[in-house]
Amino acid sequence: MNLHSASTSSHRQRGAVLLVVVVVLIVVAVLGASIVTLSKVSQRSLLNVTPGNQAFYLAESGLRYAQQVHLEEGWPQGQAVTLTLQSGEVVEVERSGNYFWASSVVNAGTAREARARVPVRVVDSGGGSD
């Protein structure tokens, strides 16, 4: 009787270990499938950005930069700045009147060239120079 209970206990331990291994494998498989799905979705959305959209987003980023500098240091009338990104794209930002104008060109000199020129009204904080 003692031998039978020891054998049953051993079988239960092996069964419990096997059950844990199966559960871990299922969890890993589900997580792996979701990561692959997320990776494929993010790659597809990146490919759908057109040069026109990219030029607009670059110009918009230039405007955010200009507004930040204007609020911190002031941005004089007529001052223009050319920003070159690490990727080689260029954004030109200029203050003209009560507006900042940001221009960008993507794929310059190619058939896929796209340009964007975006304005934003200057908001003075009271401390910046005009």
Side-chain angles (χ1 to χ4, degrees), residues 31-112:
L31 290 175
S34 65
I35 289 171
V36 168
T37 302
L38 289 174
S39 174
K40 287 183 179 182
V41 168
S42 66
Q43 288 175 356
R44 274 191 233 132
S45 64
L46 180 63
L47 295 175
N48 290 333
V49 175
T50 65
N53 287 345
Q54 188 178 3
F56 176 80
Y57 295 142
L58 286 172
E60 194 176 52
S61 295
L63 290 175
R64 279 189 246 123
Y65 166 80
Q67 288 176 317
Q68 186 65 36
V69 170
H70 173 70
L71 291 175
E72 290 177 1
E73 303 168 13
W75 189 301
Q77 192 65 250
Q79 180 179 357
V81 173
T82 301
L83 308 169
T84 304
L85 306 177
Q86 287 180 341
S87 60
E89 284 133 344
V90 175
V91 179
E92 294 178 355
V93 183
E94 175 184 4
R95 180 168 181 190
S96 176
N98 290 327
Y99 287 88
F100 284 118
W101 290 88
S103 304
S104 65
V105 179
V106 176
N107 301 326
T110 69
R112 293 183 44 124

